[in-house]
Amino acid sequence: MLDHIKQTDPETFDNILREVLRQEFGLEMIPSENYVSPAVLEAAGTVLTNKYAEGYPHKRYYGGCEYIDKVEELAIERAKKLFNAKFANVQPYSGSPANMAALFALTDWGRQGKKIMGMALDQGGHLTHGHKVNFSGILFDVSSYKVDPKTHYLDYDAIEELAKKEKPHVIIAGATAYPREIDFKRFREIADSVGAYLLSDISHIAGLIVAGVHQDAVQYSDVTTTTTHKTLRGPRGAIILTNNEELAQKINKIVFPGMQGGPHEHLIAAKSVAFAEALKPEFKEYGKQIVRNAKALATSLIENDGTLITGGTDNHLILMDVTKNGTIGAEAEKALGEAGITVNKNTIPYDTRSPFSPSGIRLGTPALTTRGMKEKEMEQIGVWIMEIIKNPKNDDLKKKIEAEIVELCKKFPLYPELTELAQKYLKPSSSFSIFYTLSIKKSFKLWKKN
Ligand code: DSN
């Protein structure tokens, strides 16, 4: 395993193994991240990476695509089945190009700068939903909707009122930092009331929709996009779904040759493996547990003086205002990271601080749920998080919690073979954090390079 990288490129080998240990012995709580299965990991590292396959199955610009065609067709069929959609394009390299292709399909390439309406970035939306520094804000006339200033829930009546005033050509539903269920049916009604297209970006919640613990979006939307690497637990990438044949044809032309070149077929194979996993009954239980864990974590944070935006969560993520505990997002992110808990600083709705130094942190449970942790662990993790947030400069506390986290992670192994390899080959270096030192020195004997 990784023998060839070790021989050819010891520096990259070393960096990969350090990342293996970071993932294995830390608590990954960025809500948009997850751990893929060994099967998905294997598919992503296959000879399919060697193949050019511009075009679509059976309509390629390159020879030798007979097996690639089968790989991509299987991925398309599985994506359609998973989301109950008539058409799927599995080629988008990632979420932003998928959203760009979807918007272009709905607006004749954005040629006339039509109006789009999405959730503002600082309220929980995404850059591609109309932010001014992004193509979506540069090419289109944008009107952004916000959450209710008091409850921080989406206010559908207010969105409808704004839509009636602004008459957007496309309404975008979807978020990156919204802890409550999104009512796509209501968005459809709003879009219909003004004759707009509805584009739903379900990147964060795709796995929850598949598991039946979040309202579906595909049946209500003209076009749906999703990344494949968040709650869906696939490789980095995206897909586009629609039930409208005319739109499907436009999307296909825009993705290739309009925007992209050769599809990354090794990642399409990995998406396909992830879709096969998500089609299994166990995935439904996984999705349910993600939400149960997020709710248990929310309860623990609140019981320990955490201030949660909207007062809790319906999905996989939690947005916290840490200024109420005497710190700021960046300091909380750093302090938690030093103890082995990875989260990201995030703006909260109507943040009075800057996006570079926001008031909040965003955290979630998809990755911890993948490694088998349940409500009991969430309760303890909530206690640790709040202890650190209340004492971000207390190094002894962080050291103590870090050691406890390593012990917890050992009970929920992730990639045992890779971890063993890392323990075998990694040499300590000055850049090692306390966490590596503890995890390796205390927990493992295989320390020295062979
Ligand atoms: N960067 C993703 C997230 O973290 O939510 C969205 O694209």
Side-chain angles (χ1 to χ4, degrees), residues 30-33 95-96 126 175-177 203-204 227 229-230 344 362:
I30 292 176
S32 47
E33 294 187 14
S96 292
H126 189 249
T176 66
S203 295
H204 265 260
T227 48
H229 47 271
K230 297 186 175 93
N344 69 280
R362 188 183 66 149

Side-chain angles (χ1 to χ4, degrees), residues 273-329:
V273 174
F275 298 157
E277 291 174 353
L279 281 163
K280 291 188 178 153
E282 302 89 277
F283 194 85
K284 289 206 167 23
E285 182 47 33
Y286 167 64
K288 285 182 191 147
Q289 191 63 46
I290 289 178
V291 177
R292 286 197 290 262
N293 281 353
K295 285 182 187 291
L297 179 64
T299 303
S300 175
L301 294 168
I302 291 167
E303 282 172 0
N304 290 281
D305 311 319
T307 301
L308 273 51
I309 301 302
T310 76
T313 180
D314 295 331
N315 56 27
H316 62 302
L317 78 78
I318 288 165
L319 193 56
M320 254 175 88
D321 178 358
V322 293
T323 60
K324 298 286 194 284
N325 304 104
T327 182
I328 56 170

